[in-house]
Amino acid sequence: MANVIRADVNPAAIGARAEQMINTLGSVSAEPNRLIRTFLSPAHRGAADLVSKWMTDAGLTVSEDALGTVRGSLAGSGPKRLLIGSHIDTVFEAGMFDGPFGVIAGILAAEHFARIGRPLPFGIDVLAFGDEEGVRYSATLASSSAAAGHFDFSTLELVDAEGVSLAEAIKQYGKDPADIAAAAYVPGTAAAYVEVHIEQGPVLEYRKQPLGVVNSIAGQTYLNVELLGEAGHAGTVPMLLRRDALAGAAETILSAERMARDTKGEVVATVGHMHIPAAASNVIAGTVALTVDIRSGSDAARNAFVEGFKKEIREMADKRHLGLSITTTRNVPTTPCDQAIQDGLAAAVASVGGEPLKLASGAGHDGTAMAKLCPIGMLFVRCRDGISHNPAEYASPSDMGLAVAALIHFIEGFKP
Ligand code: HGY
Ligand code: MN
Ligand code: MN
């Protein structure tokens, strides 16, 4: 891979630093044997403190808003700001790269300009968001939505698995919900938002490319499906007289899988969580709740899938004499990435010797929230076997170094 055209940027050295930072941040977890860092938790606090120190050491001015977003700022000669960020919260049993690498890349790129000492014609804000995964509360993108000025205040009443409301969690974190509005950027001050993120898929590895440019972020529909049957004795109720909610849930899961496969890649559907309140091996399940995550790069295809899926589940429930409730807990349209930013990132990828591949993101990102504030772009980094949301998640120091070098090139050529 050709070196960058800039003599003062050494991707190999940057990549080694990025790897060391990833490993250090990756050790900040709620549990010793697996990586868990949920929104406004003590582990989030520990990660925010570490990122704040890195930002300060890089020459950035650090601040924190009411939702815990850490902001490292580098002044520029003009009023506009280029926002570069990602998230530091994780799923359960997470990998170390999903989110953190985007924050680390922003810090390393901003540090390059802080060290040069020649102000850019715009400021840089590196943002570390704390709620992209939506694991603790059923809402998600709370922190980036607040920065973008469209926080949903009704989510303050949501409660986590321990019954702690988001409002209470904010206070326990040492912040004040009354300050949430102040987290928003003044409209017009953010020139763009750019996020560097592992691809979380196999395309770049398959195409033997370290970097790729994202053209859109898939739209998402999340459904909560609750099946209501009749709890009964596993030994005495004849099969034909059962109203087995868990058997209905099994059909629901297989319908989602089969219907998504039938779209030949246009739509993906996942049942990732199921709750059986009174589960026991000798009880016919009376109630089962499950989540259905439906995504597509096409809003029309996703919406058509949702309608067809709901119809099929209703018919199944009727056949099984089950009660059924389906609630939509998330409905996010496909988010296009700004064309000019895509072009700038493509030139940046080429500057480090890459082929500027364009690809859609099946994963959701903070960019979806930030797109309501300003134009967005994303730079993908190859990850081994396309694995993510898994401790085996990995991006090489070499690829991470090229990503930061490309980001530096992008910043150099950015026109707010
Ligand atoms: O679910 C997603 O796509 C993201 O990782 N939160
Ligand atoms: Mn992510
Ligand atoms: Mn993720």
Side-chain angles (χ1 to χ4, degrees):
M1 189 64 69
N3 200 337
V4 290
I5 52 171
R6 308 185 51 86
D8 59 342
V9 174
N10 178 340
I14 293 172
R17 278 192 67 199
E19 181 176 57
Q20 187 265 330
M21 293 165 83
I22 283 281
N23 290 332
T24 305
L25 183 50
S27 68
V28 180
S29 173
E31 294 184 13
N33 302 319
R34 58 181 186 159
L35 178 50
I36 297 182
R37 212 165 43 227
T38 57
F39 187 33
L40 301 174
S41 64
H44 177 193
R45 181 69 265 161
D49 291 343
L50 178 60
V51 163
S52 299
K53 179 183 179 315
W54 285 340
M55 288 177 174
T56 304
D57 295 349
L60 308 182
T61 304
V62 180
S63 60
E64 209 170 277
D65 69 23
L67 282 155
T69 296
V70 185
R71 209 168 291 203
S73 300
L74 180 67
S77 58
K80 294 258 185 184
R81 311 197 68 72
L82 172 61
L83 314 184
I84 302 171
S86 194
H87 59 96
I88 54 176
D89 65 319
T90 73
V91 294
F92 294 120
E93 212 148 328
M96 297 191 292
F97 296 76
D98 170 9
F101 178 56
V103 176
I104 289 166
I107 292 171
L108 293 172
E111 182 186 61
H112 169 85
F113 294 100
R115 211 174 31 224
I116 288 176
R118 184 186 70 243
L120 291 160
F122 47 86
I124 292 178
D125 281 358
V126 182
L127 301 169
F129 295 120
D131 176 46
E132 191 278 334
E133 296 294 1
V135 160
R136 181 173 181 185
Y137 292 97
S138 58
T140 181
L141 305 183
S143 34
S144 41
S145 298
H150 55 89
F151 177 78
D152 177 356
F153 284 86
S154 71
T155 60
L156 289 171
E157 292 154 35
L158 291 174
V159 295
D160 66 6
E162 277 70 50
V164 177
S165 71
L166 175 53
E168 186 51 38
I170 290 170
K171 291 175 198 156
Q172 289 174 6
Y173 197 74
K175 307 295 182 184
D176 182 347
D179 298 334
I180 290 174
Y185 277 94
V186 173
T189 53
Y193 171 78
V194 172
E195 182 166 353
V196 180
H197 203 289
I198 55 169
E199 178 201 343
Q200 300 177 294
V203 173
L204 291 177
E205 186 172 65
Y206 176 74
R207 295 290 297 272
K208 298 187 178 17
Q209 288 298 318
L211 307 176
V213 177
V214 178
N215 50 30
S216 72
I217 301 171
Q220 296 179 9
T221 299
Y222 274 26
L223 303 177
N224 272 352
V225 175
E226 193 166 23
L227 294 149
L228 306 167
E230 184 175 25
H233 193 299
T236 58
V237 181
M239 294 307 291
L240 288 179
L241 299 182
R242 297 184 176 200
R243 293 195 301 118
D244 185 337
L246 189 47
E251 280 209 60
T252 302
I253 295 167
L254 291 176
S255 290
E257 182 187 55
R258 190 200 76 253
M259 289 177 69
R261 280 183 173 164
D262 289 352
T263 68
K264 308 258 183 292
E266 193 171 34
V267 178
V268 289
T270 312
V271 175
H273 188 278
M274 183 161 71
H275 179 55
I276 311 166
S281 58
N282 59 352
V283 176
I284 302 164
T287 304
V288 177
L290 47 80
T291 61
V292 189
D293 174 333
I294 300 159
R295 308 190 193 196
S296 174
S298 151
D299 289 341
R302 176 170 51 86
N303 294 331
F305 180 95
V306 168
E307 289 319 305
F309 175 72
K310 285 179 177 177
K311 180 173 177 295
E312 181 159 320
I313 301 311
R314 284 194 191 101
E315 287 165 1
M316 177 278 296
D318 288 348
K319 183 173 60 76
R320 287 179 170 273
H321 308 296
L322 296 176
L324 172 68
S325 84
I326 303 178
T327 33
T328 301
T329 56
R330 191 182 304 176
N331 211 15
V332 179
T334 298
T335 305
C337 293
D338 177 78
Q339 191 56 55
I341 296 175
Q342 286 190 52
D343 296 345
L345 290 171
V349 170
S351 80
V352 296
E355 180 196 329
L357 280 182
K358 295 287 181 79
L359 58 167
S361 173
H365 300 284
D366 285 300
T368 296
M370 299 304 283
K372 293 183 180 132
L373 175 72
C374 59
I376 70 158
M378 287 194 74
L379 181 65
F380 267 176
V381 187
R382 173 169 48 189
C383 60
R384 185 170 56 198
D385 300 333
I387 290 176
S388 183
H389 285 189
N390 180 318
E393 191 178 273
Y394 177 80
S396 70
S398 160
D399 288 352
M400 291 195 284
L402 288 173
V404 177
L407 181 58
I408 289 169
H409 186 281
F410 171 82
I411 294 168
E412 280 280 9
F414 180 66
K415 304 277 181 292

